[in-house]
Amino acid sequence: MDVIAESRQRRTFAIISHPDAGKTTLTEKFLLYSGAVQEAGAVHAREGRRSARSDWMELEQQRGISISSTVLQFPYGEHTINLLDTPGHRDFSEDTYRVLSAVDAVVMVLDAAKGIESQTLKLFQVCRSRNLPVITFLNKYDRPGREPLELLDEIEAQIQLRPTPVTWPVGSGEEFVGLIDRRDNRYTRFTRTARGASVALEESSDVADASADPPPESRRAWKTAIDEIGLLQAIGADLDLPSFLAGESTPVFIGSALTNFGVRTLLEAVVELAPPPSPRVDNEGKSRPLAAPFSAFVFKVQANMDPSHRDRIAFARICSGHFERGMSVTNSRTGRDMTTKYATTAFGPDRETVDDAFPGDVVGLVNASGVNIGDTLFEAGSSGSAVEYPPLPRFAPEVFARARPLDNAKAKQFRKGLEQLDEEGVVQVLRDPDMGDIENVLAAVGQLQFEVFVHRLGSEFGAPTELLSAPYQAIRLTDKASADRLRQIGGIRILTRGDGELVALFENRYRLQRLRSDEPELTLEPIIADATPLS
């Protein structure tokens, strides 16, 4: 098969937003408009309605938030879409960071009433660090919100992206009657459907005709829209593909995911504007050609997506070559070969066996033992060529706790859950080799990760767990020589991380500052992305 031609048909992107901006609803509507689902359902599903495919985890549906990133693959026309839905809550920002390493573009969803919020800004900074093109969707325009020109100013001021509106609203809130596409000067009037569960009827006409004699109740909205479009034209705020791909501008689309306003236009824009896969840079700084032998990197591990089978899936983004189910691949970290007999495509919790996949696709490898987040896989044997991609960084934990099973008879299940949830990155499990799993310390970016950890240990592994406080305020990477000295000092504990690295936990941040000043020869390295660095 022609790897280059197949890769050109792939669009792999993530949706990011602050919590409650409408990210999961938009994901669901993309599936609706692609035909992947027949009826859309919100996260808070009413009786008799399906819940969202992206928020499939029990705790997600209970809390009404995204907890785990989700992979959704579906066709749209001649293209294959790989959509990665991400958690919006800051406590799961590490999971989102890993997902953003696996995509080629991003759709940033903003609440039209709130604009850019704190988590959106943080996630965008990750996008900028990875040079990801960003498409902006101003959501909830059927509700009272801020003026669109004001939102454009905020985008430019806060994230330094030049907004180039592609669609523009006629009215807002209850007076929102439709959208103008500035590319072809067409107006589309949208009609509401019951709870937005089905595709909305769209009526298209020329802007000049639609604005010539509008109904009395929308005349003011039309005059405002025409004036604003004139202003946008005067300042040259037009779609510019080169600057978009360079991360200098962001095409802006407007609508309402809940009521389906503007969803089809946005989905078509992703296909048209978002870039197809491009060569990925390896550890040596070389770009691996798309047509090179198969290679991929693992960006996510998820246990118990199928509770009846208690399985473990490693999700790998294909970077080069043609993947064929059953082929042997080598893990660059361990040097071990493995078969890919049980390879799947993902659609939330559902999956189907995949026989072929190409650059840009995400493949789930079921029960791939020894494969961890950040591992590089490449085709084994003489037909393959070795490669290793840069590892995924870990975030610095900010909260700590200890965990123990409430029922000692469940110790085996507790240890199994501890191991799998550590591999997934739900929390970091720090161990003392001499004390066993019962004397562990859990480290996380946010408190909500602990809630997920305890819930999943009980519901998925049958090991009800108690969390106990841990008196630590800071963590640093260290080495064996420094660890021997640190053990002699009170208020410091030396533990081992899942990847074998030694870490030092400090009960007092002041002690860490003093040590860095008094004994600078000690190895005390901050973990990358440390949210509270000491100077």
Side-chain angles (χ1 to χ4, degrees):
M1 294 188 181
D2 188 336
V3 170
I4 299 298
E6 291 288 345
S7 67
R8 286 177 183 152
Q9 300 304 309
R10 267 59 185 177
R11 297 294 183 271
T12 305
F13 69 100
I15 302 181
I16 64 171
S17 78
H18 195 85
D20 298 324
K23 171 177 55 61
T24 299
T25 302
L26 180 61
T27 299
E28 185 79 359
K29 298 311 176 70
F30 275 171
L31 302 181
L32 174 68
Y33 274 83
S34 71
V37 298
Q38 299 304 309
E39 180 178 326
V43 176
H44 296 291
R46 299 184 183 182
E47 186 176 355
R49 293 175 62 200
R50 297 197 313 148
S51 59
R53 303 304 305 169
S54 55
D55 283 345
W56 54 270
M57 195 180 293
E58 176 190 357
L59 190 58
E60 291 179 309
Q61 295 171 19
Q62 291 176 2
R63 299 287 293 267
I65 59 172
S66 296
I67 287 172
S68 174
S69 56
T70 304
V71 179
L72 299 156
Q73 186 183 76
F74 55 91
Y76 187 69
E78 297 179 353
H79 291 81
T80 297
I81 306 296
N82 295 283
L83 192 166
L84 281 66
D85 183 28
T86 62
H89 198 287
R90 71 171 301 278
D91 286 6
F92 305 108
S93 52
E94 187 169 12
D95 191 37
T96 299
Y97 187 99
R98 292 191 288 257
V99 167
L100 293 177
S101 71
V103 301
D104 302 311
V106 161
V107 172
M108 177 173 66
V109 181
L110 302 181
D111 185 324
K114 299 177 181 177
I116 295 177
E117 299 174 83
S118 58
Q119 183 64 4
T120 313
L121 188 59
K122 185 174 182 179
L123 292 172
F124 171 76
Q125 290 166 351
V126 176
C127 296
R128 167 154 283 168
S129 72
R130 305 197 65 86
N131 286 325
L132 289 171
V134 175
I135 297 173
T136 299
F137 183 62
L138 301 182
N139 192 23
K140 303 184 182 180
Y141 239 85
D142 59 327
R143 303 179 185 181
R146 293 162 60 187
E147 293 297 324
L149 291 175
E150 179 186 347
L151 292 169
L152 297 189
D153 288 342
E154 183 170 281
I155 290 171
E156 188 157 22
Q158 293 205 24
I159 63 178
Q160 288 78 56
L161 277 183
R162 181 167 54 87
T164 57
V166 176
T167 62
W168 199 252
V170 179
S172 62
E174 294 183 355
E175 297 180 351
F176 183 37
V177 294
L179 294 170
I180 295 172
D181 192 320
R182 298 181 60 224
R183 293 169 295 186
D184 57 10
N185 219 31
R186 298 290 291 178
Y187 167 71
T188 303
R189 185 175 73 86
F190 293 92
T191 57
R192 295 177 183 268
T193 60
R195 302 188 304 272
S198 59
V199 171
L201 177 66
E202 301 175 5
E203 298 177 3
S204 180
S205 60
D206 186 80
V207 168
D209 294 337
S211 61
D213 187 25
E217 63 271 15
S218 62
R219 286 175 183 168
R220 184 178 65 176
W222 267 105
K223 183 182 185 307
T224 300
I226 296 299
D227 289 345
E228 290 172 339
I229 284 178
L231 176 61
L232 294 173
Q233 291 172 340
I235 64 174
D238 301 324
L239 175 65
D240 180 64
L241 191 59
S243 66
F244 160 63
L245 296 175
E248 299 167 356
S249 68
T250 176
V252 177
F253 294 81
I254 291 172
S256 166
L258 188 63
T259 54
N260 301 336
F261 285 2
V263 172
R264 185 194 303 278
T265 303
L266 179 61
L267 179 55
E268 291 175 349
V270 170
V271 172
E272 179 185 347
L273 303 178
S278 58
R280 191 172 185 86
V281 177
D282 63 19
N283 258 349
E284 298 179 355
K286 300 177 182 177
S287 293
R288 175 112 166 160
L290 295 175
F294 167 79
S295 68
F297 77 96
V298 177
F299 66 92
K300 178 179 175 64
V301 173
Q302 181 76 52
N304 300 329
M305 290 186 72
D306 184 349
S308 61
H309 290 90
R310 299 295 183 199
D311 56 6
R312 175 185 185 273
I313 299 182
F315 289 99
R317 151 73 190 244
I318 298 177
C319 302
S320 66
H322 176 201
F323 173 84
E324 298 177 85
R325 184 170 63 90
M327 71 189 304
S328 292
V329 300
T330 302
N331 185 329
S332 64
R333 178 177 57 85
T334 64
R336 295 178 181 174
D337 292 350
M338 56 176 279
T339 61
T340 57
K341 180 179 179 182
Y342 302 107
T344 71
T345 59
F347 189 69
D350 304 328
R351 53 185 188 254
E352 295 180 358
T353 298
V354 60
D355 292 317
D356 298 278
F358 299 90
D361 285 338
V362 174
V363 174
L365 303 175
V366 182
N367 294 330
S369 59
V371 176
N372 295 333
I373 291 172
D375 284 353
T376 298
L377 308 176
F378 59 86
E379 185 173 355
S382 58
S383 57
S385 63
V387 66
E388 186 168 6
Y389 296 113
L392 297 179
R394 289 180 177 235
F395 278 28
E398 298 178 35
V399 291
F400 304 89
R402 293 181 296 131
R404 69 181 183 191
L406 290 173
D407 182 355
N408 288 332
K410 302 288 187 179
K412 182 178 179 180
Q413 294 93 320
F414 175 79
R415 285 194 296 270
K416 180 66 173 176
L418 220 60
E419 177 184 345
Q420 288 204 2
L421 296 179
D422 186 18
E423 290 176 351
E424 283 187 37
V426 174
V427 296
Q428 293 183 36
V429 180
L430 312 177
R431 297 175 172 88
D432 185 334
D434 298 327
M435 302 293 287
D437 277 325
I438 303 301
E439 287 297 320
N440 60 75
V441 173
L442 308 179
V445 174
Q447 192 68 34
L448 197 52
Q449 287 178 272
F450 289 153
E451 293 183 33
V452 173
F453 173 82
V454 170
H455 177 85
R456 292 186 61 188
L457 272 177
S459 65
E460 297 178 18
F461 297 92
T465 299
E466 178 184 21
L467 277 188
L468 305 171
S469 62
Y472 304 112
Q473 296 182 358
I475 183 171
R476 289 294 184 268
L477 292 172
T478 188
D479 56 23
K480 188 178 184 306
S482 299
D484 291 340
R485 164 61 182 147
L486 293 171
R487 287 189 180 96
Q488 300 170 9
I489 305 172
I492 304 173
R493 190 173 181 190
I494 305 299
L495 298 173
T496 303
R497 205 166 63 177
D499 58 1
E501 292 278 1
L502 286 176
V503 297
L505 294 179
F506 290 80
E507 294 182 6
N508 189 301
R509 294 181 66 84
Y510 176 71
R511 175 66 57 84
L512 172 57
Q513 289 175 315
R514 283 293 302 272
L515 266 179
R516 292 178 61 189
S517 173
D518 296 346
E519 302 186 43
E521 71 279 5
L522 293 177
T523 299
L524 293 169
E525 297 294 334
I527 297 174
I528 192 167
D530 193 339
T532 52
L534 291 169
S535 56

